[in-house]
Amino acid sequence: MPETLEITGGEALARMLAAHGVGPMFGMGGFQLLPFYDAARRIGLNHNLINDERCAAFAADAYAKVSGRPGVCDATLGPGATNLVTGLAEAYNAGTPIVAVVGDSHRAHSWKNMTQEARQVEVLRPVCKEILRVECIERIPELVRRAFTVATHGRPGPVVLDIPEDVAHGVHTFAADAFHADPASTRIPALRCRPDDAALAEAARLLAHAQRPLMLCGGGVHLSGAADAVQRFAVALNIPVAHTMSGKGAIACTHPLSAGLFGRYSRIANDLIAAADCLFVVGCKLGEIATRRYDLIPVSVPLIHLDILPEEFDRTTAPTVRLWGDIGATLPALHEVMRTQAAQPDRRSYAAEVAQRMQAWRASVTERLESDEVPVSMARLMHEINTWLPPDGLLVADGGFAAHWGGLLFDTKRPGRSFVPDRGFASIGYGIPGAIGATLAAPGRQVVSLTGDGGCNMSLGELETAVRMKLPFTLVVVNNAASGYVKALQHLMYGAGAYQSADLAETNYADVARALGCNGIRVEEPGAIRDALNAAASCTDRPTVLDVVVTRDPARMLPGVDSRAAKIKQGDRIA
């Protein structure tokens, strides 16, 4: 007779997560999911209490971004579920695979003013790929497999498992062999596909005739695990590579073919776009920031768009050729087709020009990167992090101010995701939970997280989580006593002194960190940054918070090492 297990729905859920080999999970319990929590304890799942469900989703997001494995978070019904919205929106827009488990009310009493009851399925639906409501306890193994399949296939994203109280607490006799997983659904990309031959041939023809082609790479490169493939393709054909913030690392930033960031902020890439005779968009949505609010991409230049999600074609820019497929599968196939074309143009002088332009840019900003000004300049801070962080190190960047400075100035030293910004939703407050997730995904690697004082304030309670978990990351708090990006925009648009609701209290975050059990170091001069980073690295049993006092001058806050003010007219959004 087949072996059976008479267990609760909560234990069935835990066994299915174990079958998928999930890593650390993040959540805050409630009565509805108590059987799951009890089973997680008995089975030995790595579940961790978080202080805010939004941060549970952020931590799961960062874990998935760095590891390539689905992140898992959970929440109780009502406010727990609705607190997930911002984090799930980040994952949905960024293409991050997450399985989010939420408890729901007992179905025998639903809509009778149950405590904390809400129309949470309707609230969560717009920020996930799919919501799977578990109506029958016996379907838990099937629907958990479905959740991981949807989360990891195609363009990845978050999936919500909504589990009513009576399903989680109920008991059912399962076949022991019901608890299994599809190995393809345990990491991304789950499947690889490539475009049709006709589209590949036309793309190859356009590239073969181009004298000044340019690749524009987005975060899809990392979702495909295709950074090495991008670099090989670029090197073989002498095609420079520019990137979005999420696409940083599509090619090593230190590679001679790297054109750096393009879009709202740029080193040399925007000028290269203007002079290109063919643009190859790879895993990039061509959104507002990447296109400088849709005025950067020349309409007369042939454009090839490669993406796993066909809905992105023509959304903002009409491509000449649409390549629907996985980047890792498509680039080698495209290169093979190009081998059959007539001889490729000799682009060596073009490649050399790009390297010379980047070298000239670096020389032009050296003074700012090495500035000794006090308070510390953002350019000097980024320069110190750049030169200190090892090639396998990770820089997590909070939304807004930190992500833009990091996107412009941080250099990845090898292909792959070394820069982890939350650009799906650009939410403030990602820095601390993002560091938690990244540290757990990459044990033994240096993790530095860059956040503003405002972003730190939004998720400060998760320092307690990191202390409890003994996670040795470094949190760099950019302390300008302001909502810096907003204050800088007010300065540019309305003039000096025209600031409203943009200032924060002067706070010593090193003192705050020590009160929470972290190592805390305050940095007030640029010469102290390197020693502070070294001290942080030597602290291996808890986080270190570096409270870096930076300029209070809003004219010098925007992410540009030369701090040039944009020329704007009233009504423009310049950042």
Side-chain angles (χ1 to χ4, degrees):
M1 188 172 180
E3 184 182 352
T4 60
L5 293 170
E6 187 177 5
I7 56 177
T8 65
E11 181 168 340
L13 170 63
R15 287 179 177 271
M16 282 304 300
L17 294 178
H20 283 83
V22 299
M25 298 177 288
F26 312 93
M28 183 182 293
F31 178 75
Q32 288 70 26
L33 293 179
L34 282 185
F36 163 66
Y37 271 62
D38 182 63
R41 173 186 60 81
R42 289 184 285 106
I43 291 172
L45 294 177
N46 182 7
H47 190 283
N48 301 280
L49 172 65
I50 209 84
N51 286 298
D52 186 303
E53 294 89 350
R54 173 182 57 104
C55 293
F58 282 156
D61 175 86
Y63 174 83
K65 281 185 167 86
V66 174
S67 71
R69 299 168 61 194
V72 179
C73 57
D74 67 82
T76 191
L77 85 167
T82 58
N83 278 350
L84 290 174
V85 169
T86 299
L88 293 182
E90 165 63 31
Y92 185 58
N93 290 344
T96 306
I98 285 179
V99 173
V101 178
V102 296
D104 210 334
S105 61
H106 195 299
R107 289 173 300 171
H109 304 297
S110 293
W111 315 124
K112 297 194 302 188
N113 294 327
M114 292 283 286
T115 302
Q116 297 187 315
E117 186 177 38
R119 295 192 179 274
Q120 62 192 43
V121 169
E122 297 167 37
V123 171
L124 294 171
R125 184 63 193 91
V127 293
C128 62
K129 285 183 73 176
E130 190 168 341
I131 284 191
L132 300 172
R133 168 119 167 144
V134 184
E135 297 284 1
C136 301
I137 187 172
E138 60 267 29
R139 294 191 67 191
I140 288 175
E142 168 204 348
L143 292 177
V144 173
R145 277 191 294 273
R146 175 66 180 165
F148 278 88
T149 297
V150 174
T152 57
H153 284 64
R155 184 181 176 191
V159 175
V160 172
L161 277 166
D162 185 81
I163 303 182
E165 174 191 315
D166 51 304
V167 173
H169 286 254
V171 176
H172 179 73
T173 301
F174 292 89
D177 61 3
F179 301 101
H180 60 86
D182 176 3
S185 298
T186 59
R187 65 179 307 109
I188 59 170
L191 293 175
R192 294 192 186 272
C193 57
R194 42 156 283 185
D196 64 83
D197 291 342
L200 286 172
E202 180 60 12
R205 186 188 68 79
L206 289 176
L207 287 172
H209 287 85
Q211 299 289 331
R212 299 179 64 86
L214 182 65
M215 294 178 73
L216 304 178
C217 292
V221 169
H222 299 308
L223 299 180
S224 175
D228 287 327
V230 169
Q231 186 155 308
R232 284 193 298 269
F233 185 87
V235 169
L237 300 171
N238 265 331
I239 301 179
V241 178
H243 59 78
T244 62
M245 285 183 276
S246 295
K248 183 181 284 290
I251 187 173
C253 293
T254 52
H255 195 282
L257 286 172
S258 173
L261 185 68
F262 72 93
R264 181 181 293 174
Y265 298 103
S266 164
R267 299 180 182 183
I268 64 172
N270 287 1
D271 291 338
L272 291 174
I273 290 172
D277 58 3
C278 183
L279 295 172
F280 186 11
V281 178
V282 180
C284 175
K285 294 183 287 187
L286 293 177
E288 176 190 5
I289 292 176
T291 61
R292 206 175 53 197
R293 194 165 259 202
Y294 316 110
D295 73 352
L296 180 62
I297 308 299
V299 295
S300 59
V301 174
L303 187 144
I304 304 161
H305 194 170
L306 166 58
D307 206 284
I308 193 66
L309 189 67
E311 288 87 343
E312 294 302 340
F313 299 143
D314 298 276
R315 187 189 296 275
T316 69
T317 306
T320 311
V321 178
R322 299 160 185 82
L323 297 179
W324 180 15
D326 170 74
I327 298 166
T330 299
L331 290 182
L334 179 58
H335 191 202
E336 281 301 312
V337 174
M338 294 188 70
R339 292 180 194 273
T340 68
Q341 302 276 355
Q344 300 291 316
D346 186 346
R347 302 192 186 101
R348 285 177 292 182
S349 62
Y350 173 45
E353 173 197 332
V354 170
Q356 290 164 3
R357 284 193 181 203
M358 185 61 78
Q359 185 178 14
W361 177 86
R362 292 184 187 278
S364 73
V365 300
T366 297
E367 182 179 351
R368 295 290 294 147
L369 294 175
E370 298 177 356
S371 169
D372 288 328
E373 67 185 72
V374 177
V376 177
S377 77
M378 278 300 300
R380 175 65 183 272
L381 174 59
M382 290 307 309
H383 176 65
E384 293 292 340
I385 292 172
N386 244 344
T387 55
W388 179 83
L389 198 64
D392 69 343
L394 292 164
L395 179 64
V396 178
D398 211 326
F401 195 86
H404 286 289
W405 275 102
L408 181 64
L409 295 183
F410 179 62
D411 283 329
T412 61
K413 302 170 183 70
R414 63 183 190 182
R417 199 195 288 269
S418 299
F419 183 58
V420 190
D422 65 324
R423 296 311 305 170
F425 210 38
S427 310
I428 305 299
Y430 187 87
I432 299 173
I436 290 172
T439 302
L440 290 167
R445 295 167 64 181
Q446 288 287 346
V447 174
V448 174
S449 184
L450 190 67
T451 186
D453 38 8
C456 181
N457 291 345
M458 289 186 73
S459 56
L460 189 61
E462 303 312 334
L463 284 178
E464 182 277 331
T465 305
V467 168
R468 179 174 9 104
M469 297 178 69
K470 297 181 170 57
L471 298 179
F473 60 79
T474 301
L475 181 73
V476 177
V477 179
V478 178
N479 187 339
N480 54 19
S483 179
Y485 217 99
V486 171
K487 189 171 185 177
L489 292 178
Q490 291 177 343
H491 181 87
L492 279 173
M493 298 185 70
Y494 307 115
Y499 313 126
Q500 175 61 49
S501 305
D503 291 310
L504 297 171
E506 288 284 354
T507 302
N508 185 320
Y509 288 93
D511 288 345
V512 174
R514 286 190 289 269
L516 285 167
C518 301
N519 184 27
I521 303 172
R522 189 166 173 89
V523 178
E524 297 179 296
E525 297 186 356
I529 297 174
R530 183 67 57 88
D531 287 343
L533 288 168
N534 287 332
S538 67
C539 182
T540 59
D541 63 346
R542 55 195 164 132
T544 295
V545 174
L546 303 187
D547 180 30
V548 183
V549 180
V550 300
T551 181
R552 266 67 173 152
D553 181 0
R556 304 173 68 83
M557 287 180 181
L558 281 182
V561 289
D562 54 1
S563 296
R564 288 177 294 186
K567 295 180 179 179
I568 61 172
K569 60 182 181 294
Q570 190 169 4
D572 281 353
R573 179 177 178 182
I574 49 81

